């Protein structure tokens, strides 16, 4: 095959393109699987258990259907179209596109942690060759690619940026657990370190993204666009969370208010809830931190974060108030929490705010059972020191049931069968049948 991606000058023929995806998590795997339908792709991850699982054709994150994964996999590191997963950096040494999709978390003080990104840059730098292109997808503050990552690539590879190798930034927009807005159906923002490379990167993504692409004028613009997407959503959710607190004091149903206001054509349909995960609950801190370096102290962004970070404690206090109102003794009360993932129909527990509700209820002395059919129980225990179950305990009834995550499976639960004679049901998401609920956030 001698056709090129497009007609861009110096673009490689499709048969010569070899892509390495660094990081095979919720973002990297769907992207690797998609590219592997048209190109030779090597998926690299340092987690040997994860790689072995993927090479056997199974994705426990449920982001890629196992049949789709199996149809894409190849069992050797050949140049044939398909996906080969590995923990050996030697297997990516003959690639010419390197796409980095590792996490960018914050520390306990909400400061950006670029360690995974810089380690991935070192890994790529060790195998980087003349004319190779490195594309970053991890969410960062504007300037991180050029100021933090490129120096690591240069130092490790002993090559010169924009002379020997090139760089781009194309922020991930994957929505974990969403089977409708899959990676190929989400318009992709792209950018590159030179106009020619930018076009080349855009052509590469456009060849597999059916929704199309948007070529940003610079890498910093693309970085900024990504970080404000999630910051904007975070602020809007913080606003409705604050409304929920106000209307609760006024004894007004917040969801009724939002439904009424939503009849106006330009009203934004946000709902109150727990804001966690590796994007919305984290990205605003990246932007605020960078703003501080320029002498600007963010007010709205950090105010939104404070409101959203405090919602777990607020929900727990509301649950306790309801229990007291029904003369339910809080200490040693049996409480069932439905969901510990950070969002519905997803197994990801990173930065989940459901844990704040759970820990606060435990601090009140309640005996908490955490039920989530999606999550890996060992990961929950390791990350949060909390035991969870994937199946409801048989013949056990509870003084309180708190829905924190709107998994589809929870809609069919017989709440009455789980309640003790004196019990309350609190619905954070407005997901359950209102006839079975004492209060909605």
């Amino acid at each position: 095959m001698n056709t090129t991606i497009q007609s861009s000058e110096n673009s490689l023929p499709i048969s010569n393109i070899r892509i390495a995806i660094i990081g095979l998590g919720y973002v990297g795997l769907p992207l690797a699987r998609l590219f592997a339908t048209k190109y030779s792709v090597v998926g690299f991850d340092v987690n040997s258990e994860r790689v072995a699982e993927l090479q056997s054709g199974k994705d426990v994150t449920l982001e890629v259907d196992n049949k789709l994964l199996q149809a894409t996999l190849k069992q050797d590191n050949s140049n044939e179209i398909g996906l080969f997963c590995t923990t050996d950096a030697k297997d990516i040494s003959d690639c010419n596109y390197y796409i980095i999709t590792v996490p960018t978390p914050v520390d306990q003080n909400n400061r950006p942690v670029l360690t995974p990104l810089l380690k991935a840059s070192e890994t790529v730098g060790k195998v980087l060759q003349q004319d190779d292109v490195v594309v970053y997808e991890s969410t960062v503050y504007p300037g991180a690619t050029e100021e933090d990552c490129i120096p690591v690539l240069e130092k490790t590879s002993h090559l010169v940026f924009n002379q020997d190798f090139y760089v781009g930034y194309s922020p991930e927009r994957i929505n974990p657990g969403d089977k409708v807005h899959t990676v190929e159906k989400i318009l992709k923002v792209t950018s590159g370190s030179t106009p020619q490379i930018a076009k080349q990167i855009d052509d590469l993504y456009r060849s597999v993204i059916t929704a199309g692409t948007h070529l940003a004028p610079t890498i910093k613009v693309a970085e900024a666009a990504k970080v404000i997407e999630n910051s904007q959503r975070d602020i809007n959710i913080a606003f409705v969370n604050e409304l929920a607190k106000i209307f609760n004091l006024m004894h007004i149903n917040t969801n009724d208010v939002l439904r009424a206001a939503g009849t106006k054509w330009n009203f934004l349909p946000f709902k109150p809830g727990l804001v966690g995960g590796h994007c919305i609950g984290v990205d605003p801190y990246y932007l605020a931190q960078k703003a501080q370096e320029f002498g600007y102290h963010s007010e709205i962004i950090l105010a939104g974060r404070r409101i959203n970070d405090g919602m777990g404690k607020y929900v727990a206090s509301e649950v306790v108030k309801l229990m007291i109102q029904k003369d339910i003794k809080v200490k040693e009360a049996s409480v069932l929490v439905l969901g510990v993932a950070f969002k519905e129909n997803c197994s990801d527990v990173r930065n989940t705010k459901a844990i704040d509700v759970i820990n606060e209820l435990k601090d009140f002395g309640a005996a908490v059972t955490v039920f989530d059919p999606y999550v890996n129980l060992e990961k929950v225990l390791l990350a949060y020191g909390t035991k969870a179950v994937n199946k409801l305990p048989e013949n056990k009834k509870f003084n309180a049931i708190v829905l924190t995550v709107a998994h589809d499976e929870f809609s069919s639960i017989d709440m009455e069968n789980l309640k003790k004679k004196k019990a309350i049901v609190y619905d954070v998401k407005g997901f359950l049948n209102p006839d079975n609920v004492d209060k909605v956030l």
Side-chain angles (χ1 to χ4, degrees):
M1 185 183 296
N2 295 316
T3 57
T4 55
I5 303 172
Q6 286 281 331
S7 57
S8 297
E9 185 181 354
N10 297 329
S11 287
L12 288 168
I14 286 178
S15 58
N16 292 343
I17 290 175
R18 193 157 159 80
I19 302 169
I21 306 292
I22 314 301
L24 294 174
Y26 290 85
V27 173
L29 179 64
L31 187 68
R33 200 282 314 171
L34 179 62
F35 271 124
T37 61
K38 194 167 185 177
Y39 303 100
S40 174
V41 178
V42 183
F44 174 85
D45 201 292
V46 295
N47 186 333
S48 57
E49 183 180 342
R50 172 69 170 161
V51 168
E53 155 208 310
L54 293 176
Q55 272 301 113
S56 70
K58 184 179 180 182
D59 173 29
V60 297
T61 70
L62 307 179
E63 287 304 306
V64 174
D65 180 82
N66 288 339
K67 290 183 179 179
L68 280 178
L69 177 62
Q70 292 160 13
T72 312
L73 283 173
K74 54 184 181 180
Q75 295 304 314
D76 56 45
N77 191 19
S78 67
N79 289 325
E80 298 300 315
I81 291 173
L83 172 64
F84 176 74
C85 301
T86 183
T87 58
D88 190 346
K90 292 179 182 177
D91 289 328
I92 64 173
S93 60
D94 63 346
C95 292
N96 36 48
Y97 281 92
Y98 296 88
I99 301 177
I100 295 178
T101 63
V102 297
T104 43
V106 293
D107 64 16
Q108 60 184 5
N109 297 311
N110 294 319
R111 292 175 300 197
V113 176
L114 295 181
T115 305
L117 197 62
L118 301 182
K119 289 289 185 183
S121 298
E122 286 181 1
T123 298
V124 171
K126 290 176 182 177
V127 297
L128 207 57
Q129 298 181 47
Q130 190 76 29
D131 296 327
D132 285 351
V133 178
V134 184
V135 182
Y136 290 89
E137 289 216 1
S138 307
T139 304
V140 292
Y141 47 74
T145 300
E146 291 156 304
E147 297 163 15
D148 298 293
C149 300
I150 287 173
V152 173
L153 291 173
E154 286 191 309
K155 181 179 179 181
T156 312
S157 68
H158 306 293
L159 299 175
V160 179
F161 169 57
N162 268 353
Q163 179 178 309
D164 301 319
F165 71 93
Y166 304 90
V167 169
Y169 183 78
S170 181
E172 60 90 4
R173 282 177 161 174
I174 286 175
N175 186 24
D178 191 336
K179 303 308 178 187
V180 177
H181 302 97
T182 50
V183 59
E184 67 271 23
K185 297 176 184 176
I186 303 172
L187 194 141
K188 204 83 166 68
V189 173
T190 64
S191 64
S193 54
T194 71
Q196 179 184 320
I197 291 300
K199 181 64 168 63
Q200 204 167 300
I201 292 170
D202 190 72
D203 287 344
L204 181 69
Y205 279 101
R206 187 178 288 271
S207 69
V208 293
I209 303 291
T210 55
T213 59
H214 172 87
L215 180 55
T218 67
I219 287 174
K220 284 182 180 177
V221 166
E223 291 170 325
K226 170 57 181 178
V227 80
I228 71 164
E229 287 174 19
N230 288 333
S231 297
Q232 182 189 64
R233 185 168 175 78
D234 189 48
I235 291 166
N236 278 298
I237 297 173
F239 172 59
V240 293
N241 274 337
E242 189 165 56
L243 291 180
K245 291 182 177 182
I246 294 169
F247 294 144
N248 180 49
L249 294 171
M250 297 178 176
H251 304 289
I252 299 172
N253 186 302
T254 304
N255 284 317
D256 287 345
V257 174
L258 293 175
R259 275 191 290 270
T263 59
K264 189 170 186 232
W265 73 91
N266 60 353
F267 185 82
L268 301 178
F270 287 92
K271 291 184 178 182
L274 303 171
V275 185
H278 55 93
C279 290
I280 297 177
V282 172
D283 297 352
Y285 289 120
Y286 274 73
L287 184 55
Q289 172 77 15
K290 194 63 179 179
Q292 285 184 358
E293 293 180 17
F294 285 83
Y296 184 84
H297 180 74
S298 171
E299 296 182 45
I300 293 177
I301 294 172
L302 292 180
R305 276 284 79 229
R306 284 191 295 271
I307 290 172
N308 287 339
D309 277 346
M311 288 307 292
K313 182 174 286 190
Y314 175 79
V315 166
S317 67
E318 290 296 293
V319 170
V320 169
K321 286 178 187 177
L322 281 174
M323 293 172 71
I324 293 171
Q325 289 168 10
K326 281 202 173 183
D327 294 323
I328 299 171
K329 183 183 176 183
V330 177
K331 188 175 182 181
E332 298 179 357
S334 56
V335 179
L336 174 64
V337 173
L338 297 175
V340 70
F342 90 88
K343 63 169 290 185
E344 65 275 5
N345 305 322
C346 174
S347 64
D348 195 347
V349 297
R350 286 177 293 172
N351 194 35
T352 176
K353 295 304 175 183
I355 202 68
D356 294 348
V357 179
I358 294 162
N359 288 339
E360 193 71 13
L361 289 171
K362 286 181 178 179
D363 286 345
F364 277 110
V368 181
T369 298
V370 181
F371 167 53
D372 194 312
Y374 281 86
V375 301
N376 181 298
L377 304 182
E378 291 182 5
K379 287 184 178 179
V380 175
L381 184 61
L382 182 64
Y384 303 109
T386 293
K387 289 184 179 180
V389 296
N390 292 137
K391 293 183 178 180
L392 278 172
E394 292 184 12
N395 303 318
K396 186 172 182 179
K397 296 183 182 293
F398 300 89
N399 296 117
I401 300 171
V402 185
L403 182 134
T404 55
V405 186
H407 290 321
D408 288 343
E409 283 84 344
F410 293 161
S411 64
S412 59
I413 291 177
D414 184 354
M415 291 294 169
E416 293 303 315
N417 191 47
L418 290 172
K419 292 163 63 177
K420 288 187 175 180
K421 188 173 182 180
K422 284 201 299 187
I424 64 104
V425 177
Y426 188 96
D427 186 356
V428 172
K429 302 293 290 185
F431 176 73
L432 300 172
N433 184 335
D435 294 335
N436 300 325
V437 174
D438 291 88
K439 196 167 187 178
V440 177
L441 175 61

